[in-house]
Amino acid sequence: MSGFVWLALWLEIQKGGPMTILELIRKRYSCRAYQERKIEQEKLDLIFEAARLAPSAKNAQDWRFVVVTDKGKKEAVAKSTNRPEVFEKAGAIIVACSNSGDVMRCGQAIGPIDVSIALEHIALQATELGLGTCWIGSFEPEIVRKAAGIPENVTIIELMAVGYAADKQKEASREAIGKIVCYEKWQF
Ligand SMILES: Cc1cc2nc3c(=O)[nH]c(=O)nc-3n(C[C@H](O)[C@H](O)[C@H](O)COP(=O)(O)O)c2cc1C
């Protein structure tokens, strides 16, 4: 083995090996302070590769993502959210849209479910790349529609801020497994 391969191996061992999926999930948190720093295109490409590979009902892949990075446009989009001064600083605000008005046999709309799965892929991939993310459901769709030029027939499902964090992860508050899971029949 070449010296380079040994070095790479040694570095990997020092780091404790690659993160497991659970470690990555534990690392993700809602980042609510961002550095005004551009996200490298290679990182955005990996983030959207993770979105592209997400599952979707009937494999329709009817999600569309508008990545807002321009300062003025970001400000316009952020203004419609509950934390304008925070989200306008993020390297990107992703406007996650759906082209689908379909409903599954179970009665649930396909659009929000498919887009949400892809968005969480985005959040986890961004976390692995050392970026912070925050889901944003508190926004005014018509303001975002205008700022990002989203056509009337397309549904804006959620926004997601992505960028270099300027805060630290706080401990997540979560219910115990026993409170949310039971086996075989409803026992809550
Ligand atoms: C669908 C959805 C919408 C959300 N909307 C907002 C939002 O508008 N603004 C915000 O600051 N956080 C928002 N959040 C973040 C949640 O508040 C956060 O995920 C939750 O408090 C758990 O904290 P954690 O993500 O740090 O683990 C949203 C999360 C989800 C999943």
Side-chain angles (χ1 to χ4, degrees):
M1 264 198 279
S2 77
F4 177 75
V5 175
W6 277 115
L7 180 66
L9 213 64
W10 181 80
L11 284 171
E12 199 60 44
I13 291 164
Q14 292 306 302
K15 277 196 308 181
M19 254 188 286
T20 66
I21 186 74
L22 199 54
E23 284 166 342
L24 188 59
I25 288 167
R26 286 203 174 105
K27 213 171 156 209
R28 186 218 56 84
Y29 70 100
S30 292
C31 176
R32 298 206 179 91
Y34 294 89
Q35 303 169 33
E36 281 186 277
R37 181 172 158 196
K38 201 171 163 330
I39 303 170
E40 296 80 353
Q41 188 58 48
E42 306 78 64
K43 291 197 174 183
L44 289 172
D45 291 346
L46 286 170
I47 282 169
F48 289 106
E49 176 64 359
R52 194 178 71 86
L53 296 174
S56 61
K58 296 185 196 156
N59 201 23
Q61 305 166 63
D62 278 331
W63 40 54
R64 299 290 181 268
F65 304 98
V66 178
V67 189
V68 180
T69 61
D70 171 79
K71 195 171 160 54
K73 277 208 173 64
K74 261 190 311 182
E75 275 172 19
V77 170
K79 213 168 253 165
S80 86
T81 72
N82 62 340
R83 290 184 165 87
E85 335 57 49
V86 170
F87 297 133
E88 71 183 23
K89 294 196 181 68
I93 302 176
I94 300 170
V95 183
C97 306
S98 172
N99 261 341
S100 171
D102 285 359
V103 172
M104 290 175 280
R105 194 148 73 92
C106 65
Q108 300 296 327
I110 283 177
I113 293 180
D114 287 354
V115 168
S116 296
I117 296 168
L119 273 178
E120 193 56 13
H121 277 206
I122 286 173
L124 291 173
Q125 180 59 75
T127 304
E128 202 211 5
L129 294 169
L131 295 162
T133 59
C134 192
W135 282 79
I136 310 169
S138 174
F139 68 93
E140 197 50 65
E142 290 321 307
I143 296 177
V144 176
R145 186 181 297 287
K146 215 163 144 224
I150 314 289
E152 286 299 326
N153 60 326
V154 170
T155 311
I156 305 172
I157 305 286
E158 284 281 309
L159 306 180
M160 183 168 278
V162 185
Y164 286 94
D167 64 359
K168 291 261 176 293
Q169 181 172 23
K170 296 178 202 77
E171 209 192 320
S173 136
R174 291 294 190 273
E175 304 287 6
I177 287 185
K179 186 157 177 200
I180 59 167
V181 184
C182 65
Y183 289 82
E184 315 316 342
K185 69 179 185 58
W186 185 274
Q187 295 170 66
F188 299 110

